[in-house]
Amino acid sequence: MQTTIAAVATARGEGGIGIVRISGEDAYEVAAKIFAPHSGENITKLSGYTMKYGIAHNIDGSEIDECIALFYRAPHSYTGEDVVELQAHGGSAVVELILRACFDAGARMARAGEFTRRAFENGRMNLTQAEAVMQIIGASSQREVRTARAALGGKLGSAMSEICRKLTELTASLAAWADFPEDEIPAVDEVELRGEIEKLSTQLTQIINDSRINMKLSEGIRTVICGRPNVGKSSLMNLLAGYERCIVTDIPGTTRDVIEEKISLGSVTLNVADTAGIRTTGDPIEEIGVNKAREYIENGDLVLAVFDGSEKLSEQDRELADLLRNRTAVAIINKSDKEQNIDIEYIHERIQHIVYISAREKRGIKQLISLIKEISSVGELSDAGLALCNERQLACAISAQHELVCAVTALDLGMTLDAVTVNLESAVECLLELTGERASEQIVSEIFSQFCLGK
Ligand code: GDP
Protein backbone atom coordinates (compact mmCIF):
# COMPACT_ATOMS: atom_id res chain seq x y z
CA MET A 1 0.00 0.00 0.00
CA GLN A 2 1.27 3.48 -0.88
CA THR A 3 1.45 5.92 2.02
CA THR A 4 -0.67 9.04 1.82
CA ILE A 5 1.37 12.06 0.82
CA ALA A 6 0.80 15.81 0.98
CA ALA A 7 2.51 18.91 -0.35
CA VAL A 8 1.85 22.50 -1.28
CA ALA A 9 1.01 22.47 -5.00
CA THR A 10 1.17 26.21 -5.65
CA ALA A 11 4.30 28.35 -5.91
CA ARG A 12 5.83 29.72 -2.70
CA GLY A 13 5.09 33.28 -1.69
CA GLU A 14 1.93 35.32 -1.74
CA GLY A 15 -0.83 34.64 -4.24
CA GLY A 16 -4.59 34.64 -4.67
CA ILE A 17 -4.96 31.04 -3.57
CA GLY A 18 -2.67 28.40 -2.13
CA ILE A 19 -3.33 24.72 -2.70
CA VAL A 20 -2.38 21.78 -0.53
CA ARG A 21 -2.72 18.45 -2.30
CA ILE A 22 -3.21 15.13 -0.51
CA SER A 23 -2.99 11.81 -2.36
CA GLY A 24 -3.22 8.19 -1.27
CA GLU A 25 -5.54 5.61 0.16
CA ASP A 26 -6.16 7.66 3.31
CA ALA A 27 -6.50 11.04 1.56
CA TYR A 28 -10.18 11.39 2.56
CA GLU A 29 -9.47 10.27 6.17
CA VAL A 30 -6.62 12.77 6.46
CA ALA A 31 -8.84 15.52 5.03
CA ALA A 32 -11.67 14.59 7.42
CA LYS A 33 -9.40 15.28 10.40
CA ILE A 34 -8.45 18.78 9.26
CA PHE A 35 -11.36 20.06 7.17
CA ALA A 36 -14.94 20.68 8.25
CA PRO A 37 -17.44 21.43 5.45
CA HIS A 38 -20.14 23.94 6.34
CA SER A 39 -22.70 21.37 5.17
CA GLY A 40 -21.67 19.15 8.10
CA GLU A 41 -21.35 16.06 5.83
CA ASN A 42 -19.06 13.15 6.59
CA ILE A 43 -16.47 13.74 3.91
CA THR A 44 -15.08 10.22 3.94
CA LYS A 45 -18.33 9.20 2.22
CA LEU A 46 -18.14 11.78 -0.56
CA SER A 47 -17.88 10.64 -4.13
CA GLY A 48 -15.31 11.98 -6.58
CA TYR A 49 -15.52 15.27 -8.48
CA THR A 50 -17.13 16.95 -5.44
CA MET A 51 -16.40 20.39 -4.06
CA LYS A 52 -17.10 21.52 -0.48
CA TYR A 53 -16.69 24.88 1.21
CA GLY A 54 -15.65 24.89 4.86
CA ILE A 55 -12.91 25.48 7.38
CA ALA A 56 -9.42 24.01 7.44
CA HIS A 57 -8.35 23.42 11.03
CA ASN A 58 -5.63 21.83 13.13
CA ILE A 59 -6.31 18.37 14.49
CA ASP A 60 -7.14 19.93 17.89
CA GLY A 61 -9.97 21.78 16.14
CA SER A 62 -8.41 25.27 16.14
CA GLU A 63 -9.25 27.03 12.89
CA ILE A 64 -6.65 27.86 10.22
CA ASP A 65 -8.53 29.40 7.29
CA GLU A 66 -11.59 29.25 5.13
CA CYS A 67 -11.11 26.73 2.44
CA ILE A 68 -12.57 25.00 -0.59
CA ALA A 69 -11.91 21.28 -0.82
CA LEU A 70 -11.97 19.33 -4.07
CA PHE A 71 -12.43 15.57 -3.90
CA TYR A 72 -11.34 13.00 -6.48
CA ARG A 73 -11.85 9.26 -6.24
CA ALA A 74 -9.33 6.71 -7.57
CA PRO A 75 -8.66 6.09 -10.37
CA HIS A 76 -10.13 9.34 -11.71
CA SER A 77 -7.54 11.74 -10.34
CA TYR A 78 -4.16 13.12 -11.36
CA THR A 79 -2.28 10.42 -9.44
CA GLY A 80 -4.84 7.68 -10.01
CA GLU A 81 -5.35 7.54 -6.21
CA ASP A 82 -7.89 9.20 -3.92
CA VAL A 83 -6.97 12.89 -3.91
CA VAL A 84 -8.14 15.89 -1.90
CA GLU A 85 -7.06 19.42 -2.76
CA LEU A 86 -7.51 22.13 -0.18
CA GLN A 87 -7.63 25.64 -1.59
CA ALA A 88 -7.08 28.40 0.94
CA HIS A 89 -5.87 32.00 0.79
CA GLY A 90 -2.48 32.08 -0.89
CA GLY A 91 -0.20 33.12 1.94
CA SER A 92 2.87 31.09 2.89
CA ALA A 93 1.81 30.86 6.56
CA VAL A 94 -1.70 29.63 5.70
CA VAL A 95 -0.58 26.83 3.37
CA GLU A 96 2.27 25.80 5.67
CA LEU A 97 -0.17 25.50 8.59
CA ILE A 98 -2.59 23.40 6.53
CA LEU A 99 0.27 21.21 5.34
CA ARG A 100 1.48 20.67 8.89
CA ALA A 101 -2.07 19.75 9.90
CA CYS A 102 -2.04 17.13 7.10
CA PHE A 103 1.13 15.61 8.60
CA ASP A 104 -0.46 15.60 12.07
CA ALA A 105 -3.43 13.81 10.51
CA GLY A 106 -1.24 11.02 9.13
CA ALA A 107 0.08 12.11 5.73
CA ARG A 108 3.77 12.37 5.00
CA MET A 109 5.64 14.99 3.01
CA ALA A 110 5.60 14.24 -0.74
CA ARG A 111 8.98 14.11 -2.42
CA ALA A 112 9.71 16.24 -5.47
CA GLY A 113 7.66 14.90 -8.39
CA GLU A 114 6.05 12.18 -6.30
CA PHE A 115 2.47 12.97 -7.36
CA THR A 116 3.44 12.63 -11.02
CA ARG A 117 5.54 9.56 -10.29
CA ARG A 118 2.45 7.93 -8.78
CA ALA A 119 0.47 8.92 -11.87
CA PHE A 120 3.15 7.17 -13.95
CA GLU A 121 3.22 4.09 -11.73
CA ASN A 122 -0.57 3.87 -11.72
CA GLY A 123 -0.65 3.93 -15.52
CA ARG A 124 -2.21 7.40 -15.72
CA MET A 125 0.61 8.56 -18.00
CA ASN A 126 3.75 7.29 -19.66
CA LEU A 127 7.21 8.75 -19.22
CA THR A 128 6.96 11.15 -22.16
CA GLN A 129 3.73 12.53 -20.69
CA ALA A 130 5.31 12.89 -17.25
CA GLU A 131 8.19 14.79 -18.83
CA ALA A 132 5.68 16.93 -20.70
CA VAL A 133 4.18 17.95 -17.35
CA MET A 134 7.58 19.27 -16.32
CA GLN A 135 8.03 20.97 -19.68
CA ILE A 136 4.68 22.70 -19.58
CA ILE A 137 5.48 24.11 -16.14
CA GLY A 138 8.83 25.41 -17.34
CA ALA A 139 7.59 26.62 -20.76
CA SER A 140 8.55 30.18 -21.63
CA SER A 141 6.91 30.45 -25.04
CA GLN A 142 3.75 29.57 -26.92
CA ARG A 143 5.70 27.02 -28.97
CA GLU A 144 6.95 25.18 -25.88
CA VAL A 145 3.47 25.07 -24.40
CA ARG A 146 2.07 23.67 -27.67
CA THR A 147 4.68 20.93 -27.95
CA ALA A 148 4.38 19.98 -24.29
CA ARG A 149 0.59 19.84 -24.50
CA ALA A 150 0.73 17.58 -27.54
CA ALA A 151 3.09 15.24 -25.68
CA LEU A 152 0.86 15.42 -22.60
CA GLY A 153 -2.10 14.44 -24.73
CA GLY A 154 -0.19 11.25 -25.52
CA LYS A 155 0.38 11.89 -29.22
CA LEU A 156 4.15 11.41 -29.00
CA GLY A 157 3.87 8.31 -26.78
CA SER A 158 1.31 6.76 -29.14
CA ALA A 159 3.47 7.42 -32.21
CA MET A 160 6.46 5.79 -30.49
CA SER A 161 4.38 2.85 -29.30
CA GLU A 162 3.08 2.36 -32.84
CA ILE A 163 6.61 2.27 -34.28
CA CYS A 164 7.54 -0.12 -31.49
CA ARG A 165 4.55 -2.36 -32.24
CA LYS A 166 5.47 -2.60 -35.92
CA LEU A 167 9.09 -3.40 -35.09
CA THR A 168 8.02 -6.04 -32.61
CA GLU A 169 5.81 -7.60 -35.29
CA LEU A 170 8.74 -7.69 -37.71
CA THR A 171 11.02 -9.22 -35.07
CA ALA A 172 8.39 -11.83 -34.21
CA SER A 173 7.99 -12.89 -37.83
CA LEU A 174 11.76 -13.10 -38.23
CA ALA A 175 12.07 -15.18 -35.06
CA ALA A 176 9.24 -17.50 -36.09
CA TRP A 177 10.83 -18.10 -39.46
CA ALA A 178 14.28 -18.67 -37.93
CA ASP A 179 12.92 -21.12 -35.33
CA PHE A 180 10.57 -23.09 -37.57
CA PRO A 181 11.85 -22.78 -41.14
CA GLU A 182 10.25 -26.07 -42.24
CA ASP A 183 6.77 -25.14 -41.00
CA GLU A 184 4.29 -23.37 -43.12
CA ILE A 185 5.51 -19.97 -42.12
CA PRO A 186 5.97 -17.81 -45.22
CA ALA A 187 9.60 -17.10 -45.99
CA VAL A 188 10.78 -13.63 -45.14
CA ASP A 189 10.72 -11.39 -48.17
CA GLU A 190 13.91 -9.42 -47.65
CA VAL A 191 12.94 -6.63 -50.03
CA GLU A 192 9.66 -6.13 -48.21
CA LEU A 193 11.41 -6.32 -44.84
CA ARG A 194 13.96 -3.74 -45.93
CA GLY A 195 11.15 -1.45 -47.12
CA GLU A 196 9.30 -1.74 -43.81
CA ILE A 197 12.42 -0.99 -41.77
CA GLU A 198 13.28 1.97 -43.97
CA LYS A 199 9.77 3.38 -43.60
CA LEU A 200 10.00 3.25 -39.80
CA SER A 201 13.51 4.66 -39.92
CA THR A 202 12.27 7.61 -42.02
CA GLN A 203 9.47 8.25 -39.56
CA LEU A 204 11.94 8.34 -36.69
CA THR A 205 14.30 10.60 -38.63
CA GLN A 206 11.45 13.03 -39.25
CA ILE A 207 10.61 13.12 -35.55
CA ILE A 208 14.27 13.58 -34.63
CA ASN A 209 14.72 16.44 -37.11
CA ASP A 210 11.54 18.18 -36.00
CA SER A 211 12.60 17.80 -32.40
CA ARG A 212 15.96 19.37 -33.09
CA ILE A 213 14.32 22.38 -34.75
CA ASN A 214 11.81 22.60 -31.96
CA MET A 215 14.45 22.45 -29.24
CA LYS A 216 16.48 25.08 -31.05
CA LEU A 217 13.46 27.38 -31.26
CA SER A 218 12.59 26.76 -27.63
CA GLU A 219 16.15 27.28 -26.48
CA GLY A 220 16.15 30.51 -28.43
CA ILE A 221 17.71 31.77 -31.64
CA ARG A 222 21.18 33.07 -30.82
CA THR A 223 20.75 36.67 -31.82
CA VAL A 224 23.23 39.46 -31.59
CA ILE A 225 22.41 43.15 -31.66
CA CYS A 226 25.39 45.14 -32.85
CA GLY A 227 26.31 48.54 -34.20
CA ARG A 228 28.54 51.40 -33.20
CA PRO A 229 27.83 53.29 -29.98
CA ASN A 230 24.80 55.57 -29.87
CA VAL A 231 22.89 54.16 -32.84
CA GLY A 232 20.12 52.95 -30.50
CA LYS A 233 20.94 49.29 -29.71
CA SER A 234 19.95 49.52 -26.06
CA SER A 235 16.77 51.41 -26.93
CA LEU A 236 15.84 48.66 -29.41
CA MET A 237 16.69 45.91 -26.95
CA ASN A 238 14.46 47.55 -24.36
CA LEU A 239 11.63 47.73 -26.85
CA LEU A 240 12.00 44.06 -27.78
CA ALA A 241 12.24 42.97 -24.19
CA GLY A 242 9.29 45.14 -23.33
CA TYR A 243 10.89 46.82 -20.37
CA GLU A 244 13.74 49.12 -19.41
CA ARG A 245 16.75 47.04 -18.57
CA CYS A 246 19.76 48.57 -20.26
CA ILE A 247 21.06 51.99 -19.36
CA VAL A 248 20.22 54.25 -22.30
CA THR A 249 22.54 57.26 -22.38
CA ASP A 250 24.19 59.63 -24.84
CA ILE A 251 27.73 58.69 -23.86
CA PRO A 252 29.29 56.45 -26.54
CA GLY A 253 30.34 53.06 -25.21
CA THR A 254 28.05 52.87 -22.16
CA THR A 255 27.04 49.31 -22.94
CA ARG A 256 30.38 47.94 -21.90
CA ASP A 257 30.00 44.21 -22.00
CA VAL A 258 27.60 41.78 -23.63
CA ILE A 259 24.22 41.59 -21.95
CA GLU A 260 22.11 38.54 -22.75
CA GLU A 261 18.38 38.44 -22.63
CA LYS A 262 15.77 35.81 -23.47
CA ILE A 263 13.03 37.53 -25.43
CA SER A 264 9.85 35.76 -26.48
CA LEU A 265 8.23 37.07 -29.64
CA GLY A 266 5.30 34.67 -29.48
CA SER A 267 6.27 31.59 -31.46
CA VAL A 268 9.95 32.54 -31.63
CA THR A 269 12.33 33.02 -28.71
CA LEU A 270 15.48 35.06 -29.14
CA ASN A 271 18.53 34.85 -26.92
CA VAL A 272 19.67 38.36 -27.59
CA ALA A 273 23.13 39.60 -26.89
CA ASP A 274 23.50 43.37 -26.87
CA THR A 275 27.14 44.15 -27.53
CA ALA A 276 29.43 47.07 -27.02
CA GLY A 277 29.66 47.47 -30.77
CA ILE A 278 32.36 46.69 -33.22
CA ARG A 279 35.04 49.20 -32.46
CA THR A 280 38.70 49.19 -31.75
CA THR A 281 39.17 51.20 -28.64
CA GLY A 282 41.86 52.02 -26.17
CA ASP A 283 39.64 51.22 -23.24
CA PRO A 284 40.53 47.70 -22.01
CA ILE A 285 37.11 47.02 -20.46
CA GLU A 286 35.36 48.05 -23.62
CA GLU A 287 37.84 46.01 -25.65
CA ILE A 288 36.58 42.83 -23.95
CA GLY A 289 33.06 43.69 -25.08
CA VAL A 290 34.21 44.38 -28.63
CA ASN A 291 35.97 41.03 -28.92
CA LYS A 292 32.92 39.28 -27.58
CA ALA A 293 30.78 41.09 -30.15
CA ARG A 294 32.86 39.70 -33.02
CA GLU A 295 32.68 36.23 -31.45
CA TYR A 296 28.90 36.49 -31.18
CA ILE A 297 28.55 37.65 -34.78
CA GLU A 298 30.56 34.66 -35.94
CA ASN A 299 28.71 32.09 -33.82
CA GLY A 300 25.19 33.52 -33.64
CA ASP A 301 22.20 32.45 -35.73
CA LEU A 302 20.93 35.94 -36.47
CA VAL A 303 22.56 39.36 -36.46
CA LEU A 304 20.56 42.52 -35.93
CA ALA A 305 22.85 45.30 -37.11
CA VAL A 306 21.71 48.74 -36.03
CA PHE A 307 22.62 51.91 -37.95
CA ASP A 308 21.78 55.54 -37.30
CA GLY A 309 19.77 56.63 -40.34
CA SER A 310 20.24 60.30 -39.53
CA GLU A 311 24.01 60.12 -39.94
CA LYS A 312 26.34 59.29 -42.78
CA LEU A 313 27.91 55.85 -42.53
CA SER A 314 31.05 55.93 -40.43
CA GLU A 315 34.10 53.76 -41.08
CA GLN A 316 32.87 51.49 -38.30
CA ASP A 317 29.39 51.15 -39.86
CA ARG A 318 30.99 50.14 -43.16
CA GLU A 319 33.21 47.61 -41.40
CA LEU A 320 30.14 46.07 -39.77
CA ALA A 321 28.22 45.91 -43.07
CA ASP A 322 31.26 44.27 -44.74
CA LEU A 323 31.41 41.69 -41.97
CA LEU A 324 27.79 40.69 -42.55
CA ARG A 325 27.97 39.86 -46.26
CA ASN A 326 27.28 36.15 -45.84
CA ARG A 327 25.51 36.16 -42.52
CA THR A 328 21.81 35.90 -41.71
CA ALA A 329 21.41 39.54 -40.82
CA VAL A 330 18.92 42.37 -40.66
CA ALA A 331 20.08 45.96 -41.11
CA ILE A 332 17.97 48.05 -38.78
CA ILE A 333 18.03 51.68 -39.81
CA ASN A 334 17.11 53.51 -36.63
CA LYS A 335 16.12 57.12 -35.92
CA SER A 336 13.72 57.26 -38.86
CA ASP A 337 12.06 60.17 -37.03
CA LYS A 338 15.06 62.34 -37.94
CA GLU A 339 16.22 63.59 -41.34
CA GLN A 340 17.91 60.68 -43.16
CA ASN A 341 21.54 60.94 -44.31
CA ILE A 342 22.56 57.29 -44.47
CA ASP A 343 24.14 55.83 -47.61
CA ILE A 344 21.60 53.03 -47.92
CA GLU A 345 23.05 51.61 -51.16
CA TYR A 346 26.15 50.52 -49.28
CA ILE A 347 23.99 48.55 -46.83
CA HIS A 348 21.73 47.17 -49.58
CA GLU A 349 24.68 45.65 -51.39
CA ARG A 350 25.83 43.79 -48.29
CA ILE A 351 22.89 42.98 -46.02
CA GLN A 352 19.91 41.01 -47.27
CA HIS A 353 17.14 42.43 -45.07
CA ILE A 354 16.54 46.08 -44.23
CA VAL A 355 13.98 47.56 -41.82
CA TYR A 356 13.45 51.22 -40.90
CA ILE A 357 12.53 51.94 -37.31
CA SER A 358 12.39 54.69 -34.76
CA ALA A 359 13.15 53.23 -31.36
CA ARG A 360 12.30 56.58 -29.80
CA GLU A 361 8.83 56.75 -31.36
CA LYS A 362 8.35 52.96 -31.28
CA ARG A 363 7.75 52.85 -35.03
CA GLY A 364 8.61 49.91 -37.30
CA ILE A 365 8.95 47.43 -34.44
CA LYS A 366 6.04 45.26 -35.59
CA GLN A 367 7.54 44.97 -39.08
CA LEU A 368 10.89 44.08 -37.53
CA ILE A 369 9.32 41.37 -35.38
CA SER A 370 7.46 39.82 -38.35
CA LEU A 371 10.66 39.84 -40.39
CA ILE A 372 12.57 38.12 -37.56
CA LYS A 373 9.83 35.50 -37.33
CA GLU A 374 9.90 34.99 -41.08
CA ILE A 375 13.68 34.53 -41.11
CA SER A 376 13.74 32.24 -38.07
CA SER A 377 11.04 29.88 -39.21
CA VAL A 378 13.15 28.64 -42.13
CA GLY A 379 13.15 25.19 -40.59
CA GLU A 380 9.40 24.81 -40.15
CA LEU A 381 8.19 21.81 -38.23
CA SER A 382 6.29 19.13 -40.07
CA ASP A 383 4.26 18.33 -36.97
CA ALA A 384 5.00 20.07 -33.68
CA GLY A 385 2.83 17.52 -31.95
CA LEU A 386 5.41 14.82 -32.53
CA ALA A 387 8.46 16.63 -31.25
CA LEU A 388 10.54 15.05 -28.50
CA CYS A 389 10.97 17.45 -25.66
CA ASN A 390 14.34 16.76 -24.08
CA GLU A 391 17.82 15.34 -24.62
CA ARG A 392 16.96 12.03 -22.97
CA GLN A 393 14.11 11.34 -25.38
CA LEU A 394 16.19 12.52 -28.31
CA ALA A 395 19.08 10.21 -27.35
CA CYS A 396 16.70 7.20 -27.17
CA ALA A 397 15.18 8.03 -30.57
CA ILE A 398 18.61 8.55 -32.17
CA SER A 399 19.84 5.19 -30.83
CA ALA A 400 16.70 3.45 -32.13
CA GLN A 401 17.08 5.07 -35.53
CA HIS A 402 20.76 4.08 -35.62
CA GLU A 403 19.78 0.44 -34.97
CA LEU A 404 17.37 0.58 -37.91
CA VAL A 405 20.09 1.95 -40.18
CA CYS A 406 22.33 -0.92 -39.05
CA ALA A 407 19.53 -3.41 -39.77
CA VAL A 408 19.21 -2.11 -43.34
CA THR A 409 22.99 -2.24 -43.78
CA ALA A 410 23.02 -5.82 -42.48
CA LEU A 411 20.39 -6.75 -45.07
CA ASP A 412 22.34 -5.00 -47.83
CA LEU A 413 25.51 -6.85 -46.85
CA GLY A 414 23.66 -10.14 -46.99
CA MET A 415 24.23 -10.87 -43.32
CA THR A 416 22.05 -13.46 -41.55
CA LEU A 417 18.58 -12.47 -40.48
CA ASP A 418 19.68 -13.09 -36.90
CA ALA A 419 21.85 -10.00 -37.13
CA VAL A 420 18.87 -7.99 -38.39
CA THR A 421 16.74 -9.33 -35.55
CA VAL A 422 19.31 -8.19 -32.97
CA ASN A 423 19.21 -4.65 -34.42
CA LEU A 424 15.43 -4.55 -34.46
CA GLU A 425 15.24 -5.80 -30.88
CA SER A 426 17.71 -3.14 -29.77
CA ALA A 427 15.64 -0.47 -31.51
CA VAL A 428 12.56 -1.68 -29.63
CA GLU A 429 14.50 -1.52 -26.34
CA CYS A 430 15.47 2.10 -27.04
CA LEU A 431 11.88 3.08 -27.80
CA LEU A 432 10.55 1.31 -24.71
CA GLU A 433 13.06 3.24 -22.67
CA LEU A 434 11.83 6.43 -24.32
CA THR A 435 8.20 5.84 -23.35
CA GLY A 436 9.20 4.46 -19.96
CA GLU A 437 7.68 1.03 -20.53
CA ARG A 438 11.07 -0.49 -19.87
CA ALA A 439 13.08 2.34 -18.35
CA SER A 440 15.35 1.41 -15.45
CA GLU A 441 14.54 2.51 -11.92
CA GLN A 442 17.58 4.76 -12.04
CA ILE A 443 16.33 6.63 -15.11
CA VAL A 444 12.82 6.97 -13.72
CA SER A 445 14.13 8.27 -10.37
CA GLU A 446 16.40 10.72 -12.12
CA ILE A 447 13.55 12.12 -14.18
CA PHE A 448 11.21 12.60 -11.26
CA SER A 449 13.92 14.08 -9.05
CA GLN A 450 14.02 17.03 -11.46
CA PHE A 451 10.39 17.85 -10.75
CA CYS A 452 9.38 20.60 -8.40
CA LEU A 453 7.93 19.89 -4.99
CA GLY A 454 4.17 19.50 -5.03
CA LYS A 455 3.98 18.24 -8.63
P1 GDP B 1 23.42 52.40 -28.10
O1 GDP B 1 24.69 53.02 -27.63
O2 GDP B 1 23.55 51.89 -29.48
O3 GDP B 1 22.93 51.32 -27.16
O4 GDP B 1 22.32 53.54 -28.15
P2 GDP B 1 21.21 53.97 -27.12
O5 GDP B 1 20.04 53.07 -27.18
O6 GDP B 1 21.86 54.18 -25.80
O7 GDP B 1 20.75 55.34 -27.76
C1 GDP B 1 21.66 56.42 -27.96
C2 GDP B 1 20.91 57.73 -28.03
O8 GDP B 1 20.09 57.74 -29.19
C3 GDP B 1 19.99 57.98 -26.85
O9 GDP B 1 20.03 59.35 -26.52
C4 GDP B 1 18.62 57.61 -27.39
O10 GDP B 1 17.59 58.31 -26.74
C5 GDP B 1 18.75 58.03 -28.83
N1 GDP B 1 17.86 57.28 -29.71
C6 GDP B 1 17.67 55.95 -29.75
N2 GDP B 1 16.77 55.62 -30.68
C7 GDP B 1 16.36 56.77 -31.26
C8 GDP B 1 15.41 57.10 -32.30
O11 GDP B 1 14.74 56.25 -32.89
N3 GDP B 1 15.28 58.39 -32.63
C9 GDP B 1 16.00 59.38 -32.00
N4 GDP B 1 15.79 60.62 -32.40
N5 GDP B 1 16.88 59.10 -31.03
C10 GDP B 1 17.06 57.84 -30.65
Side-chain angles (χ1 to χ4, degrees):
M1 189 191 87
Q2 290 270 42
T3 48
T4 297
I5 52 173
V8 177
T10 37
R12 302 275 143 174
E14 291 174 16
I17 55 168
I19 301 177
V20 174
R21 182 190 265 161
I22 313 164
S23 178
E25 217 167 65
D26 294 332
Y28 279 50
E29 280 70 23
V30 168
K33 289 182 193 159
I34 61 157
F35 173 76
H38 288 314
S39 64
E41 283 160 284
N42 175 359
I43 62 176
T44 61
K45 300 277 184 284
L46 290 176
S47 50
Y49 297 142
T50 307
M51 182 178 90
K52 292 290 161 195
Y53 172 51
I55 296 288
H57 55 77
N58 291 302
I59 49 167
D60 64 7
S62 54
E63 294 189 3
I64 300 175
D65 189 19
E66 278 177 83
C67 181
I68 286 171
L70 301 175
F71 298 87
Y72 304 83
R73 279 288 183 196
H76 306 294
S77 71
Y78 180 71
T79 56
E81 304 173 326
D82 280 353
V83 167
V84 179
E85 282 177 8
L86 299 168
Q87 305 191 350
H89 291 104
S92 13
V94 174
V95 286
E96 281 305 323
L97 287 169
I98 296 177
L99 183 62
R100 241 181 272 166
C102 290
F103 299 153
D104 292 341
R108 75 155 167 82
M109 181 74 181
R111 286 185 284 270
E114 197 170 2
F115 291 101
T116 312
R117 176 159 191 159
R118 287 188 175 193
F120 167 67
E121 282 168 358
N122 291 326
R124 298 288 291 166
M125 55 175 78
N126 63 32
L127 214 47
T128 55
Q129 287 171 306
E131 286 173 311
V133 169
M134 196 158 57
Q135 203 199 7
I136 209 163
I137 292 173
S140 59
S141 71
Q142 203 178 315
R143 174 181 296 278
E144 274 180 279
V145 173
R146 211 178 61 199
T147 317
R149 285 206 57 222
L152 195 56
K155 207 170 160 188
L156 175 67
S158 313
M160 289 300 164
S161 299
E162 184 55 18
I163 296 177
C164 232
R165 192 187 60 73
K166 287 184 181 152
L167 284 172
T168 311
E169 253 176 42
L170 289 179
T171 327
S173 67
L174 280 176
W177 190 76
D179 291 344
F180 313 101
E182 309 84 37
D183 289 6
E184 283 166 23
I185 293 165
V188 173
D189 178 339
E190 290 198 10
V191 176
E192 204 177 299
L193 175 66
R194 191 184 187 284
E196 288 290 322
I197 299 175
E198 280 218 304
K199 210 158 82 188
L200 296 172
S201 173
T202 309
Q203 265 180 41
L204 270 179
T205 308
Q206 184 72 59
I207 294 175
I208 291 167
N209 290 346
D210 276 1
S211 307
R212 283 195 169 126
I213 297 175
N214 205 45
M215 280 182 196
K216 176 88 221 155
L217 291 175
S218 304
E219 245 170 50
I221 314 276
R222 277 171 309 166
T223 309
V224 54
I225 295 190
C226 56
R228 67 175 163 80
N230 248 16
V231 290
K233 298 182 296 297
S234 308
S235 311
L236 172 65
M237 180 96 159
N238 288 339
L239 276 181
L240 289 178
Y243 62 93
E244 295 280 319
R245 202 204 21 44
C246 310
I247 314 156
V248 182
T249 65
D250 269 331
I251 311 156
T254 322
T255 317
R256 286 261 163 107
D257 207 333
V258 177
I259 303 165
E260 281 193 67
E261 176 87 8
K262 203 168 183 123
I263 296 174
S264 171
L265 304 176
S267 54
V268 174
T269 302
L270 304 182
N271 286 339
V272 186
D274 177 11
T275 72
I278 307 297
R279 195 163 65 130
T280 318
T281 113
D283 180 339
I285 301 172
E286 203 170 290
E287 197 74 44
I288 297 169
V290 172
N291 289 336
K292 274 217 179 124
R294 283 187 188 276
E295 201 180 295
Y296 269 80
I297 289 176
E298 267 152 38
N299 300 323
D301 301 318
L302 173 69
V303 182
L304 301 178
V306 187
F307 299 91
D308 183 341
S310 70
E311 290 182 7
K312 290 207 173 311
L313 287 177
S314 69
E315 196 44 44
Q316 205 182 336
D317 289 326
R318 287 175 199 270
E319 251 178 57
L320 175 60
D322 293 345
L323 203 65
L324 298 179
R325 258 185 198 281
N326 296 312
R327 308 280 318 152
T328 307
V330 179
I332 299 169
I333 316 298
N334 189 31
K335 309 199 186 180
S336 63
D337 52 292
K338 289 168 90 174
E339 194 193 307
Q340 299 294 287
N341 294 306
I342 192 166
D343 173 10
I344 202 66
E345 268 314 303
Y346 194 86
I347 306 280
H348 251 305
E349 284 159 13
R350 289 160 180 81
I351 305 178
Q352 197 183 355
H353 307 279
I354 297 186
V355 177
Y356 293 85
I357 69 158
S358 164
R360 173 165 287 174
E361 295 185 355
K362 302 187 172 66
R363 275 195 280 118
I365 305 300
K366 270 200 188 132
Q367 287 89 321
L368 173 64
I369 291 177
S370 8
L371 179 65
I372 293 174
K373 284 186 178 173
E374 200 185 300
I375 299 172
S376 331
S377 58
V378 178
E380 256 315 322
L381 302 180
S382 62
D383 185 353
L386 285 185
L388 304 160
C389 64
N390 57 36
E391 293 296 335
R392 182 196 76 83
Q393 296 178 359
L394 192 61
C396 291
I398 290 172
S399 305
Q401 200 267 343
H402 175 71
E403 292 295 340
L404 298 189
V405 171
C406 291
V408 171
T409 313
L411 280 172
D412 289 347
L413 292 176
M415 288 165 75
T416 65
L417 289 180
D418 277 353
V420 179
T421 309
V422 168
N423 290 134
L424 297 189
E425 280 172 353
S426 302
V428 168
E429 285 297 320
C430 298
L431 295 177
L432 290 178
E433 185 178 320
L434 197 161
T435 58
E437 282 162 83
R438 223 177 279 166
S440 70
E441 170 57 32
Q442 192 193 351
I443 290 173
V444 173
S445 298
E446 207 175 291
I447 290 169
F448 286 104
S449 69
Q450 291 161 20
F451 271 62
C452 47
L453 218 56
K455 192 65 218 173

